[in-house]
Amino acid sequence: MKTNVVLCLSLCVYLIGALDESESIPEENNILILTKNNFRRALKQHDRLLVHFYAPLSSQSLGTILEFRKAASALKDADSDVRMGEVNVNQEKQLAASLNVTSVPSLRLYLSGDKHNPVYCPVLKSSSSILTWLKRSDGPSADIISNLTQLETFMDEDELVVLGLFKDLEADIVKVFYEVAIDIADLPFGVTGSREIFSQYDISTDTVLLIRKHKPDEQFEMEKSTKKEYVVEFIRQHEMKLVTEYNGMTASRILNSVVQNHLLLFLNKAEEGFKDTYHTFETTAEEFRGKVLFVMVDVNETRNGRIMEYFRVRVEEAPVVRMVNLSNNVQYQLASDQFDKHSLSEFCLNYLEGKAKPKLQSEPIPDNWDKQPVKELVGMNFEKVAFNYDKNVIVLFYAPWSRESRDLFPLWEELAQHFSDDEDIVVAKIDVTANDINVHLGEKYPSIKFFPALYAERVVPYSGKWKLKAIVKFMEKEVKNAKRDRAEEEELRNQYINHHKAAEKEEL
C-alpha cells in the first residue's frame, strides 16, 4: 500500500512537471516575458535565447527596449531560430540576483539551455547592430577581402570600415580580431591576407586599419600578445572624427562612445566666422583625443531642437561651449566668450583635473516675479530669496509636465493669500526642470520645503498632506521654531562681537 502511494505521488509530480514544461510562455511584441517561474522552461524550449535585462524607467534602458522590439520583429519575419526574451529586473529581483545581473541594460545569449554560461553581448543601441551581432556570433564575423576590387566594394558599406591585415589568416591573433568584430557590431569588418592590399597601404606587419571615406585614417599594430580589449578601445577612441557633427546619423555613435567626456560646441554654421571657430575647435581636439570627444551642434538646424532643449541652449546664445560627462550628466560651461585654442585647452585641462565648477542652469528672472502672491523663482534668484535670513520661505519645487505639480498650483495660491498680511513669510515656486539649484530634493516632484529665517542655511522638508490646513499648521510650528533659534543665534553673535571688542580694547 505504501509503495502504491509513493508511486502515485511520483506520477503526480511527473505529470505536473510535464504540464509545466509544455505550458506556453506569455509574450509581447514577439518577445517572451520571462519570470522566475518560467525562465528555466524558456531555456529548455529554445536553444538560442537572447535575453534583455532592463529597468522600465531607466534612461539607459529606454532606447534599448524599443530597438530590442524591432530586432525581435525582424527575427520573426526572417523565421530565425533565435528567440528573444526580456526580464524586468525591478519585478524579477530574485531572478536577476540568481543570474548575477548587476547592471542594466544587459544582453545575454543563452545557448542549449545552459543557464550558467551565457554569451555576454555588448549593450547595442540599434536593432541593426543587435541583428549583426547575432549573425557574427554564428561566424564569420568579418568579410574575407581577397583583392582590391573587393576592397573597393567593402569600403562603400559605411563612412568608416575596419580592415584587418594579417600575413597568416589562420594565426591565433586573427581570432582576436574576429572576437572584436563580434563585439563592435555597428561597424563593417573585413579581413585580408592579400599582398597587393598590404602594398596598397604600405603596411608590412599585422595591422588593424581604420578606413574613413576610402582613405586610411588610423592604424593599430597587432602582436601575438595583443588582447581584444586593447583593439576595442583603439577602434572606439578613433571611430569618430576629431570633431563629430551631431545629427541623426551620428547621435547613437556619440552616445555609445567609450569616451565619456564630451565637449560640445553650439554654433551657427551659416554665420560669418564659422570656419575659423571650427578650425580652432578641431585643432584643440587633437590634443585631447581619447580623453575628450569633441562634438559640434549646428543651432541653425531645426532637427537639433531636442539636444538644444536638453542643454538649455538658445539660438541667440551661440557660440556656446559645454562639457558633459555621460556617466553623471553634470554640465560645465566655458566661462569665456573667447574661443581661442588656449581658452579651450585650459578649460579641458581644468575639467580633467577636477578643477572646473559645474554650471548651474537658470531661466531669466521673470518680469514682476515678486509682484504676485506666489513668487516665481529661477536659478539666478533662488538662493537670494530662499536663504534670506529675515524671511520664512516655503517653496514648491515642481515639474511643469507633472500633473501632481499642476494640481498644487491652486493650493499654492490659497496659501499665499492666507499669509498675504505677514511680511515675514514668502510663498514661492520654482520649475526644477529648467533651473539648477544647490539643494538636494531627495524625492520626486512635486516637493515642498521650508527655509526658516535664520543666519544658518537650514532646509526643512514637508511630508504632510497636501491640504491648506495641514501646511499652515506645519509653517506656524516651523516659524515658531525659527524665532526661538534666531534668538539663540543673535545671542551667540552678540557674545562673539562683544568678545572681539573686548580683545581689541586690551590690545589698545
Side-chain angles (χ1 to χ4, degrees):
M1 182 68 178
K2 185 176 181 181
T3 305
N4 289 337
V5 171
V6 172
L7 287 172
C8 286
L9 288 173
S10 300
L11 181 60
C12 288
V13 170
Y14 171 78
L15 290 173
I16 290 171
L19 287 171
D20 181 65
E21 294 301 331
S22 62
E23 186 181 345
S24 62
I25 298 173
E27 62 179 89
E28 186 178 341
N29 299 306
N30 303 307
I31 298 173
L32 299 173
I33 308 302
L34 302 177
T35 66
K36 176 186 175 184
N37 296 328
N38 65 25
F39 191 82
R40 182 175 62 86
R41 194 186 333 144
L43 292 181
K44 285 192 174 185
Q45 291 179 3
H46 305 288
D47 285 339
R48 301 178 69 202
L49 180 64
L50 182 64
V51 181
H52 179 212
F53 297 90
Y54 72 98
L57 298 180
S58 161
S59 58
Q60 292 88 352
S61 293
L62 288 177
T64 57
I65 291 171
L66 298 176
E67 294 302 318
F68 197 71
R69 289 176 181 176
K70 291 180 185 177
S73 179
L75 286 175
K76 183 177 181 181
D77 292 342
D79 199 24
S80 170
D81 65 338
V82 177
R83 281 308 309 264
M84 301 178 78
E86 61 184 18
V87 175
N88 181 339
V89 297
N90 289 349
Q91 295 179 352
E92 298 294 329
K93 293 180 181 179
Q94 286 188 333
L95 175 60
S98 69
L99 297 173
N100 196 30
V101 177
T102 56
S103 62
V104 292
S106 176
L107 293 175
R108 299 181 183 183
L109 179 62
Y110 291 88
L111 301 172
S112 304
D114 188 347
K115 173 183 175 180
H116 303 289
N117 298 290
V119 178
Y120 291 86
C121 172
V123 177
L124 305 169
K125 297 294 181 69
S126 70
S127 58
S128 60
S129 59
I130 293 172
L131 296 172
T132 300
W133 183 84
L134 286 169
K135 180 180 177 181
R136 289 181 180 177
S137 296
D138 284 341
S141 60
D143 296 342
I144 306 296
I145 311 296
S146 302
N147 52 55
L148 289 173
T149 302
Q150 285 186 332
L151 178 61
E152 282 295 319
T153 303
F154 171 68
M155 290 189 295
D156 288 336
E157 285 192 39
D158 201 317
E159 177 184 305
L160 180 71
V161 299
V162 183
L163 180 64
L165 296 94
F166 298 96
K167 295 178 180 178
D168 179 6
L169 293 183
E170 301 300 321
D172 289 341
I173 196 64
V174 182
K175 296 178 183 177
V176 174
F177 181 75
Y178 284 140
E179 290 174 3
V180 172
I182 293 174
D183 280 1
I184 304 181
D186 52 343
L187 288 175
F189 274 70
V191 63
T192 186
S194 167
R195 290 184 180 181
E196 62 176 342
I197 295 178
F198 270 84
S199 300
Q200 173 79 7
Y201 295 112
D202 193 24
I203 290 174
S204 58
T205 58
D206 293 337
T207 300
V208 174
L209 180 66
L210 300 186
I211 304 174
R212 194 183 304 275
K213 293 184 176 180
H214 288 247
K215 294 182 180 179
D217 190 15
E218 300 285 344
Q219 62 185 59
F220 180 90
E221 189 172 319
M222 297 279 281
E223 298 175 353
K224 289 183 179 180
S225 59
T226 300
K227 294 182 178 180
K228 179 184 77 172
E229 292 76 16
Y230 298 156
V231 186
V232 171
E233 184 177 7
F234 160 75
I235 294 172
R236 287 308 191 192
Q237 284 187 355
H238 294 88
E239 66 178 329
M240 314 294 259
K241 299 177 183 178
L242 282 174
V243 176
T244 303
E245 181 173 356
Y246 180 90
N247 54 46
M249 298 293 292
T250 62
S252 62
R253 196 166 287 177
I254 290 171
L255 293 173
N256 286 331
S257 173
V258 294
V259 181
Q260 294 287 287
N261 305 310
H262 292 189
L263 188 71
L264 293 94
L265 170 63
F266 294 86
L267 81 170
N268 191 335
K269 290 174 67 175
E271 284 190 354
E272 187 178 351
F274 161 74
K275 289 185 178 180
D276 291 337
T277 304
Y278 182 88
H279 176 71
T280 301
F281 196 64
E282 186 177 44
T283 305
T284 310
E286 293 183 44
E287 183 182 348
F288 297 96
R289 186 151 208 176
K291 298 177 181 177
V292 178
L293 184 66
F294 281 60
V295 179
M296 186 203 75
V297 181
D298 182 7
V299 299
N300 200 38
E301 171 56 68
T302 55
R303 287 171 292 187
N304 289 338
R306 290 186 66 182
I307 189 171
M308 291 173 63
E309 182 180 351
Y310 176 81
F311 284 96
R312 297 169 190 160
V313 172
R314 292 183 286 272
V315 174
E316 58 271 16
E317 292 177 314
V320 173
V321 172
R322 294 276 178 83
M323 179 77 78
V324 63
N325 184 291
L326 294 193
S327 63
N328 55 26
N329 294 318
V330 175
Q331 295 183 34
Y332 303 79
Q333 180 162 324
L334 176 66
S336 170
D337 56 0
Q338 300 297 314
F339 294 99
D340 56 272
K341 189 175 185 300
H342 173 75
S343 299
L344 290 171
S345 296
E346 188 174 37
F347 176 59
C348 290
L349 286 172
N350 285 336
Y351 166 78
L352 293 172
E353 293 171 2
K355 297 177 182 177
K357 293 183 179 181
K359 172 179 172 52
L360 292 179
Q361 306 277 4
S362 176
E363 294 179 299
I365 298 177
D367 294 335
N368 301 320
W369 67 272
D370 58 345
K371 303 304 180 185
Q372 300 299 320
V374 177
K375 314 308 176 189
E376 290 281 350
L377 303 185
V378 295
M380 287 188 284
N381 66 358
F382 172 78
E383 290 196 15
K384 183 178 180 180
V385 175
F387 293 110
N388 182 343
Y389 53 77
D390 285 329
K391 302 288 184 182
N392 290 291
V393 184
I394 188 162
V395 181
L396 169 64
F397 300 87
Y398 72 92
W401 42 260
S402 163
R403 183 175 179 178
E404 286 184 317
S405 292
R406 296 194 302 272
D407 287 346
L408 284 178
F409 289 175
L411 171 62
W412 226 238
E413 293 292 339
E414 285 185 64
L415 186 67
Q417 289 294 340
H418 181 86
F419 288 107
S420 60
D421 294 332
D422 194 331
E423 294 183 355
D424 296 332
I425 292 180
V426 176
V427 178
K429 64 182 180 180
I430 183 170
D431 177 359
V432 285
T433 66
N435 298 279
D436 291 336
I437 53 174
N438 281 319
V439 172
H440 177 63
L441 297 180
E443 63 271 347
K444 67 177 184 178
Y445 318 133
S447 175
I448 298 172
K449 296 194 183 296
F450 180 77
F451 300 79
L454 297 172
Y455 292 112
E457 294 185 351
R458 185 183 301 173
V459 183
V460 183
Y462 175 75
S463 58
K465 294 181 179 179
W466 292 348
K467 301 290 184 181
L468 179 63
K469 187 176 180 179
I471 298 175
V472 168
K473 186 177 180 180
F474 162 79
M475 289 182 63
E476 288 174 345
K477 176 186 174 183
E478 292 302 329
V479 168
K480 184 178 180 181
N481 291 340
K483 287 180 178 178
R484 179 198 63 211
D485 295 342
R486 177 65 177 268
E488 292 179 1
E489 283 184 335
E490 293 288 0
E491 185 178 346
L492 291 173
R493 285 167 64 89
N494 289 334
Q495 289 177 1
Y496 177 84
I497 292 171
N498 292 334
H499 173 76
H500 278 269
K501 284 183 177 179
E504 289 176 359
K505 283 183 179 180
E506 288 182 7
E507 289 180 3
L508 292 175

